Amino acid sequence: MLIKIIDDDPIMANNVSAIIEENFSKIFYDYSIEKITKDYEHSCYQNGDIYFLDIDLKESNGIKIAEKIRKYNYNAIIIFVSAMNDMIFDSLIVQPFHFIRKDNFKNDMDITLNLIKKYVINNYKIITLNLKGRKTAIKLSEIVYLESFLHEIIIHTLSDSYKYIGTFNSMFELINSSNIIRIHKSYAINMFWMKEIHKEEIIMNNGIILNIGKKYKENVLLSYKEYLLR
């Protein structure tokens, strides 16, 4: 997990970094922090998982940077850190995870880090499956959707597909995440990768279009609303 802190004030960037270290080191072992205080155009947009981003940068507009981050990294967690409290509503265009006010830094930072912990634990956990006699580890966040075919579950991830012998019920018990929901007798999706939802179909971020079964429609809409409110 790569955490990027983008702020033209090195002191603030160091403060954010120190608080992240203090909190994350107790829970996550696999993460790194990159502080970016200049040359934003060359180092901001790709590879990051979590961004702490100042809106009012001397050389750039933080919201414009966030728009480019979204373009290259749709599911990045973007947290704005700003003294410009009146920019909260303007920032919603890029769907930030949270907004930290510099004049209420400690309190807002504590709230944000607790939310991140819950989110990361739920979305970045590792699922271990027995596939063809081998133990295979798959990140929950990389599962796009599941497809049921005869007595197999095909797990479609960002980079590959895996066949698991079993039922949807056994797979759901193994995954144990409210992010994975059944949308059809043959399909279940990871809402983390859902781009659009329509009356009869769902479009995933990789362009895959999946039908919504009639008996699942009400639960799909309810689950998606709850997901957006987390």
Side-chain angles (χ1 to χ4, degrees), residues 115-132:
L115 290 173
I116 289 175
K117 290 174 191 176
K118 294 177 182 178
Y119 183 86
V120 170
I121 288 171
N122 192 39
N123 288 283
Y124 286 78
K125 68 179 182 180
I126 303 295
I127 310 299
T128 302
L129 302 174
N130 190 353
L131 304 177
K132 296 182 179 180

Side-chain angles (χ1 to χ4, degrees), residues 63 67 89-96:
I63 294 178
E67 288 176 347
F89 293 106
D90 290 343
S91 73
L92 295 179
I93 191 172
V94 293
Q95 299 178 307

Side-chain angles (χ1 to χ4, degrees), residues 70-86:
R70 277 277 176 261
K71 180 179 178 181
Y72 289 102
N73 190 352
Y74 183 82
N75 285 298
I77 296 173
I78 298 174
I79 299 106
F80 284 117
V81 184
S82 180
M84 303 176 67
N85 296 347
D86 58 342

Side-chain angles (χ1 to χ4, degrees), residues 12-199:
M12 177 57 71
N14 287 334
N15 288 341
V16 174
S17 178
I19 294 176
I20 292 171
E21 286 277 8
E22 180 183 350
N23 285 266
F24 276 30
S25 61
K26 302 171 185 176
I27 299 176
F28 308 114
Y29 66 91
D30 184 19
Y31 73 92
S32 58
I33 298 174
E34 179 182 344
K35 289 175 282 188
I36 304 167
T37 57
K38 59 182 179 180
D39 298 329
Y40 314 111
E41 297 293 327
H42 299 97
S43 50
C44 288
Y45 308 127
Q46 299 186 38
N47 303 322
D49 297 297
I50 302 175
Y51 291 79
F52 287 84
L53 173 60
D54 190 4
I55 289 181
D56 187 25
L57 298 164
K58 293 177 181 177
E59 301 173 4
S60 302
N61 180 300
I63 294 178
K64 294 296 183 183
I65 289 176
E67 288 176 347
K68 290 186 178 180
I69 291 171
R70 277 277 176 261
K71 180 179 178 181
Y72 289 102
N73 190 352
Y74 183 82
N75 285 298
I77 296 173
I78 298 174
I79 299 106
F80 284 117
V81 184
S82 180
M84 303 176 67
N85 296 347
D86 58 342
M87 295 297 291
I88 291 177
F89 293 106
D90 290 343
S91 73
L92 295 179
I93 191 172
V94 293
Q95 299 178 307
F97 185 84
H98 217 268
F99 192 106
I100 295 173
R101 298 162 295 176
K102 288 187 177 180
D103 60 3
N104 196 40
F105 179 74
K106 180 64 169 64
N107 185 58
D108 285 358
M109 191 70 174
D110 287 344
I111 293 171
T112 300
L113 289 175
N114 283 326
L115 290 173
I116 289 175
K117 290 174 191 176
K118 294 177 182 178
Y119 183 86
V120 170
I121 288 171
N122 192 39
N123 288 283
Y124 286 78
K125 68 179 182 180
I126 303 295
I127 310 299
T128 302
L129 302 174
N130 190 353
L131 304 177
K132 296 182 179 180
R134 295 182 179 180
K135 295 290 185 181
T136 302
I138 301 174
K139 286 184 179 179
L140 175 61
S141 62
E142 293 185 352
I143 297 175
V144 180
Y145 72 101
L146 308 172
E147 181 180 4
S148 175
F149 183 72
L150 297 177
H151 301 295
E152 291 182 336
I153 303 296
I154 304 173
I155 306 165
H156 298 276
T157 71
L158 295 175
S159 58
D160 209 342
S161 295
Y162 305 88
K163 291 183 179 180
Y164 172 79
I165 305 300
T167 64
F168 266 144
N169 287 338
S170 63
M171 175 60 71
F172 290 152
E173 287 182 11
L174 187 63
I175 291 175
N176 189 28
S177 171
S178 58
N179 280 12
I180 306 293
I181 62 167
R182 189 88 171 264
I183 66 166
H184 189 277
K185 67 178 182 180
S186 300
Y187 302 114
I189 67 163
N190 186 348
M191 289 187 288
F192 187 72
W193 291 107
M194 189 164 67
K195 181 179 181 181
E196 297 177 15
I197 181 169
H198 301 280
K199 288 184 178 181

